[in-house]
Amino acid sequence: MAIYYDEDAKVFTLQTRHSTYQSGIGKYGYLLHLYYGAKVEGEDMSYLIYKDDRGFSGNPYEAYMEEEQAFLAGVKPDAIRSYSMDTYPQEYSTFGSGDFRSSCLAVRFADGSQTTELRYRSHRIYRGKYALPGLPAMWGDETEWDTLEITLQDPYSGLETVLLYGVLEAYDIITRAACIVNRSTEPVDLERALSMCLEHPDANLDFISFYGRHNMERQLHRCPLRHGKQSVGSVRGTSSHHYNPFIILCEPGANEDYGGCYGMSFVYSGNFLAEIELDQINQTRCVMGIHPEGFCWRLDPEESFTAPEVVLSYSPAGLTALSQNYHQAYRSHLIASRWSRERRPVLINNWEATKFDFNDQKLLAIAREAKDLGIEMLVMDDGWFGNRDYDRRGLGDWFVNEKKFSNGLTALIDSVNELGMKFGIWVEPEMVNEDSELFRKHPDWCLGAPWRKGVYSRGQRVLDLSRTEVRDYLFDAIGAVLDSGNIEYVKWDMNRSLTDVWSAKLTPERQGEAGHRYVLGLYELMERFKQKYPDILFESCSGGGGRFDAGMLYYMPQIWCSDNTDAIDRIRIQYGTSFGYPINAVGAHVSVVPNQQTGRVTPLAARGAVAMAGTFGYELDITQMTDAEKQCVKEQVADFKRYYEVIQYGRYYRLTDPEERKDIAAWSFVSEDQARALIFVVVLHAQANAPALRFKAKGLQPDRIYSVSGLNLQVSGAALMHGGLVLPKKKGDYISFTFEVEAT
Ligand code: DGJ
């Protein structure tokens, strides 16, 4: 059991291999946060709470009454005036009760009052992992997980909050979620219902977040905390290209191999807020959950609301170990698809090759060439349905455009299968174009009040996925296509932000629920597809990486990382992505040059090396390649298949930081038994009379001897890790190297 309750001290301790998390029931029943950090055993960490009488930091009523009695008995008041919600570390902060920092919970009761005070009522500790109804969450069995549930209650209103904690000891993972229940007889409006609060007693932390834009997602940003609130978040209805729902707080000196680092990953795909407040006495509070902007959730008596899961991890030894915790835990306990463990096919996608301009003959020609080169699946992208010849038409009409298929879609799939290749298809279920049969029939199925024109984006509108009939239509219409042939892969795209969020099915006082209900509807729909088609490999996409989050990963084992396929930009995008997400979740393809997004020309070898730090595939017209290029593709595909195990399941190491090194980028994969490694290097900037290009390997066994392909080298792991490797001299930008490192 990784969870302990000390009855005398009233302290809960959660242990993982390298970390300890502790909270305690304080005086008057408040649940206080005591510690999260490197492992300590058998200690009560409540001594860390600093007690002081601070001006303008009020005290709960019971504390005041004690003070009054003590005062009458002649005790100095400042011995007791210290108990304040304004300064004490909380497990779940509430608005209105003297804690003026970022709150998790803000409520409006039927009488308009807004104060909530949560006090301990009961708790439960059990083996196994809690589940969250209708929401994605990490999973596993009784041998791996332990759960703690703490029930808190507002003594005045009866409002109840159950805090959920899951402990996955082996991977240093602690999950958190919260369930709020209205135990009163009147409706209650939740105006803020975040998932967790995490306190830190110091100011001395750096905040790492991942910002970006369409075509340039997840760029790492690091800065010291400043006094006040700082946040990242999304109010776009999706987790967004712009900020990722994964953040890190770390010691200022922390780097890949050194220092305490806290990761926080939100298992949710809609609006989110990650807010950090450095307060007046240099304490740090981080809260994470659904963004309160535009959110309001009505709870009728006995109704409950579940705030989605946050996955915490602590590494006492730097960022690499933190990332590896997430990689291993998400591969084994979040992604709920057999494809998380099984080998996935090398695919070719026709999007960048043809856009909407294709027919069955064009696709077959690509498939034939691809088959000869060892590629295993053809994916037919956007443009196969309705009157979809442009991006302004057809979305919603999930029936085949017969004009593009001389003998129908089934015949094309059969022909591709006869070649010995699998077949995959693209869909964008959540959207509709006004020029579609669906919209003409059901204009009211879109989000948005009918008396507004609303915002258009890529010429499309958003279907109201909170509505059962909309989901049923999508399930049946897309299901009919999936049933019409041997379709083994689905790319599920989503190409705009949500605006005009209003649902025809909700009453006015419940309109603040529409955004979250959309996400719940999406999850329900994906779950239905997953249940009915467990063998289909699903890839999530939102204009590339606009919904790259742990919520989507639960349903779909891979996510198209970015619409930017330029190898050099991708190095930075994939670098940022690797901090919180496993490599085999990263959709990455080789495309043509000049690159369609940047115009940059890079060698095919470099494009291959970069795409191999992901699911690997091609996105180009292979029929237009020269024989030499085809030969190169054939070798890349064969190499990737040889490398598969170590890339997809090995440990991933970032060997260079793009902010520090402008000359090369290097990364590596090391097998769990440390017998095999792959090191990839791309030269970013060739120079005349250049200094030697050196870098150091990681993750090897120091006393083991390794051979390094291409360098004619046999040296110890210690030599490769401390002395490093020197790149052979080669001229040209974007030259790449792949070193196969084998224990002898
Ligand atoms: C955006 C995706 O990210 C692309 O890969 C492609 O599928 C287009 N949508 C198709 O419309």
Side-chain angles (χ1 to χ4, degrees):
M1 185 52 94
I3 302 174
Y4 311 90
Y5 178 59
D6 180 332
E7 193 76 52
D8 299 329
K10 295 191 171 18
V11 165
F12 299 98
T13 304
L14 283 51
Q15 295 288 24
T16 73
R17 271 172 65 194
H18 303 103
S19 71
T20 298
Y21 186 111
Q22 212 175 69
S23 62
I25 308 163
K27 239 176 155 182
Y28 322 119
Y30 291 102
L31 188 66
L32 304 178
H33 179 75
L34 302 181
Y35 177 76
Y36 186 31
K39 194 155 184 167
V40 286
E41 277 175 287
E43 299 292 353
D44 170 357
M45 305 298 278
S46 56
Y47 72 90
L48 289 172
I49 296 180
Y50 185 74
K51 303 183 178 70
D52 201 1
D53 172 12
R54 298 180 187 279
F56 291 84
S57 293
N59 319 111
Y61 176 75
E62 295 93 323
Y64 168 75
M65 289 311 286
E66 270 189 38
E67 174 199 335
E68 181 69 7
Q69 278 156 22
F71 179 73
L72 294 174
V75 178
K76 271 178 70 192
D78 57 340
I80 34 188
R81 262 191 207 161
S82 63
Y83 201 105
S84 175
M85 294 300 105
D86 194 24
T87 57
Y88 273 24
Q90 315 289 325
E91 278 295 301
Y92 196 73
S93 50
T94 60
F95 179 79
S97 55
D99 182 347
F100 299 96
R101 298 164 288 171
S102 297
S103 55
C104 291
L105 186 65
V107 168
R108 192 174 293 269
F109 293 102
D111 66 357
S113 66
Q114 291 177 275
T115 299
T116 324
E117 289 172 40
L118 292 177
R119 318 275 182 115
Y120 171 84
R121 276 281 162 272
S122 61
H123 73 268
R124 211 154 75 85
I125 296 173
Y126 53 90
R127 288 201 188 276
K129 170 80 197 327
Y130 64 82
L132 301 177
L135 285 166
M138 294 192 76
W139 46 266
D141 64 28
E142 293 73 23
T143 61
E144 304 161 307
W145 287 88
D146 294 309
T147 292
L148 165 65
E149 290 182 12
I150 306 179
T151 301
L152 309 173
Q153 196 166 30
D154 177 16
Y156 301 97
S157 67
L159 191 80
E160 193 177 278
T161 300
V162 183
L163 301 184
L164 299 153
Y165 301 78
V167 182
L168 180 60
E169 192 177 0
Y171 296 127
D172 289 315
I173 294 288
I174 291 177
T175 64
R176 291 201 50 181
C179 179
I180 300 141
V181 194
N182 179 5
R183 297 283 183 217
S184 76
T185 51
E186 307 264 17
V188 169
D189 288 325
L190 306 182
E191 297 186 331
R192 199 172 158 107
L194 303 195
S195 300
M196 68 113 212
C197 171
L198 182 63
E199 306 265 12
H200 195 277
D202 295 322
N204 216 11
L205 290 171
D206 279 0
F207 174 23
I208 299 178
S209 59
F210 300 88
Y211 74 99
R213 56 185 186 273
H214 177 229
N215 275 338
M216 206 64 200
E217 298 87 341
R218 290 173 295 286
Q219 303 299 298
L220 184 145
H221 182 257
R222 178 172 180 162
C223 60
L225 290 179
R226 57 169 176 75
H227 280 96
K229 290 180 185 175
Q230 42 246 277
S231 69
V232 291
S234 166
V235 289
R236 292 170 175 270
T238 59
S239 49
S240 88
H241 302 83
H242 307 78
Y243 297 102
N244 195 264
F246 172 68
I247 61 162
I248 299 170
L249 291 176
C250 62
E251 288 173 24
N255 59 27
E256 290 288 4
D257 311 304
Y258 161 84
C261 315
Y262 300 86
M264 279 151 261
S265 174
F266 197 28
V267 189
Y268 187 65
S269 311
N271 293 346
F272 78 94
L273 174 69
E275 186 170 83
I276 297 152
E277 180 170 6
L278 178 55
D279 74 11
Q280 65 277 11
I281 50 170
N282 291 351
Q283 305 180 118
T284 302
R285 167 176 293 179
C286 178
V287 294
M288 199 178 216
I290 293 177
H291 205 301
E293 212 164 284
F295 171 89
C296 186
W297 194 277
R298 166 140 305 189
L299 284 184
D300 279 332
E302 296 308 317
E303 275 185 353
S304 63
F305 176 84
T306 305
E309 182 164 274
V310 175
V311 178
L312 304 172
S313 186
Y314 175 77
S315 154
L319 295 161
T320 299
L322 185 76
S323 295
Q324 290 181 356
N325 290 345
Y326 282 102
H327 294 180
Q328 291 176 305
Y330 280 0
R331 278 194 313 236
S332 57
H333 293 84
L334 176 69
I335 298 171
S337 156
R338 73 173 174 87
W339 292 103
S340 175
R341 299 165 300 282
E342 282 178 35
R343 193 169 92 66
R344 301 180 214 165
V346 175
L347 65 80
I348 182 153
N349 175 302
N350 72 307
W351 177 246
E352 287 205 9
T354 66
K355 298 279 163 49
F356 298 100
D357 182 19
F358 65 84
N359 58 25
D360 49 1
Q361 294 313 311
K362 233 185 209 177
L363 294 180
L364 261 180
I366 293 176
R368 270 190 212 105
E369 295 276 1
K371 168 67 190 166
D372 287 347
L373 306 182
I375 295 171
E376 298 158 306
M377 181 160 70
L378 173 78
V379 174
M380 177 175 70
D381 210 281
D382 193 357
W384 57 266
F385 52 92
N387 61 350
R388 183 87 168 159
D389 292 321
Y390 311 99
D391 61 12
R392 304 170 73 85
R393 317 191 160 151
L395 283 175
D397 292 346
W398 299 111
F399 49 83
V400 174
N401 178 352
E402 299 294 345
K403 278 189 249 147
K404 292 190 178 176
F405 303 89
S406 36
N407 299 310
L409 175 61
T410 314
L412 171 66
I413 299 171
D414 290 345
S415 305
V416 171
N417 285 171
E418 276 157 28
L419 290 173
M421 288 184 80
K422 297 174 189 294
F423 186 86
I425 202 167
W426 176 99
V427 290
E428 190 174 356
E430 298 156 71
M431 299 292 153
V432 64
N433 290 118
E434 290 205 354
D435 187 354
S436 68
E437 288 184 18
L438 182 70
F439 186 81
R440 282 185 281 275
K441 210 164 153 198
H442 297 291
D444 57 317
W445 278 11
C446 295
L447 287 178
W451 46 274
R452 279 188 191 281
K453 292 272 179 262
V455 171
Y456 282 73
S457 189
R458 212 194 188 205
Q460 60 199 52
R461 297 186 58 181
V462 186
L463 289 172
D464 181 356
L465 257 64
S466 71
R467 293 173 64 165
T468 321
E469 63 275 38
V470 175
R471 297 199 301 274
D472 286 347
Y473 162 75
L474 293 169
F475 186 67
D476 293 344
I478 295 171
V481 176
L482 299 182
D483 293 337
S484 71
N486 184 25
I487 296 174
E488 298 183 71
Y489 164 105
V490 171
K491 176 177 173 185
W492 180 304
D493 205 348
M494 196 282 190
N495 283 301
R496 61 161 291 178
S497 303
L498 271 55
T499 58
D500 312 288
V501 179
W502 182 92
S503 170
K505 277 284 156 96
L506 294 173
T507 53
E509 66 280 5
R510 286 195 176 268
Q511 287 300 335
E513 301 174 16
H516 181 52
R517 285 192 184 277
Y518 175 91
V519 180
L520 292 176
L522 169 68
Y523 287 155
E524 195 255 1
L525 185 59
M526 291 193 296
E527 184 65 35
R528 276 163 83 180
F529 276 109
K530 217 181 70 180
Q531 294 297 337
K532 180 156 181 209
Y533 303 99
D535 294 331
I536 289 184
L537 166 55
F538 283 92
E539 173 164 295
S540 167
C541 172
S542 175
R547 206 159 52 182
F548 205 118
D549 57 67
M552 293 308 287
L553 268 189
Y554 173 84
Y555 300 95
M556 306 195 176
Q558 58 189 55
I559 303 177
W560 183 227
C561 186
S562 177
D563 274 350
N564 186 345
T565 55
D566 173 81
I568 303 309
D569 279 357
R570 268 294 184 118
I571 288 174
R572 287 188 81 108
I573 297 168
Q574 293 175 192
Y575 171 84
T577 307
S578 76
F579 279 84
Y581 303 98
I583 301 309
N584 71 352
V586 174
H589 298 165
V590 174
S591 63
V592 287
V593 289
N595 178 267
Q596 293 185 2
Q597 293 79 40
T598 61
R600 189 179 281 122
V601 177
T602 52
L604 189 49
R607 282 175 272 151
V610 174
M612 283 189 202
T615 54
F616 192 67
Y618 291 82
E619 180 135 352
L620 41 71
D621 188 349
I622 222 155
T623 64
Q624 303 297 309
M625 292 183 119
T626 63
D627 287 346
E629 286 172 329
K630 284 183 200 163
Q631 183 54 32
C632 179
V633 168
K634 196 171 187 166
E635 286 165 20
Q636 283 179 346
V637 172
D639 284 346
F640 182 71
K641 289 179 186 171
R642 274 193 309 117
Y643 300 159
Y644 193 84
E645 288 290 316
V646 67
I647 289 182
Q648 305 290 300
Y649 309 118
R651 287 184 184 253
Y652 177 74
Y653 291 89
R654 296 172 288 264
L655 302 182
T656 54
D657 170 350
E659 281 311 309
E660 278 170 15
R661 288 206 66 168
K662 305 292 178 200
D663 52 353
I664 60 165
W667 60 94
S668 75
F669 303 88
V670 181
S671 63
E672 274 302 325
D673 63 3
Q674 295 170 293
R676 197 166 177 223
L678 288 166
I679 300 176
F680 293 89
V681 187
V682 176
V683 176
L684 299 173
H685 180 67
Q687 296 175 64
N689 192 16
L693 296 175
R694 299 174 199 276
F695 64 96
K696 291 176 180 171
K698 286 187 177 177
L700 304 174
Q701 275 179 344
D703 51 358
R704 223 162 163 183
I705 302 297
Y706 292 90
S707 66
V708 183
S709 70
L711 291 181
N712 194 22
L713 200 61
Q714 277 217 354
V715 288
S716 66
L720 293 170
M721 293 192 293
H722 306 311
L725 289 90
V726 189
L727 290 183
K729 187 170 171 179
K730 269 197 188 175
K731 284 190 180 162
D733 273 343
Y734 317 132
I735 299 293
S736 61
F737 301 85
T738 303
F739 299 110
E740 294 183 44
V741 181
E742 302 275 353
T744 54

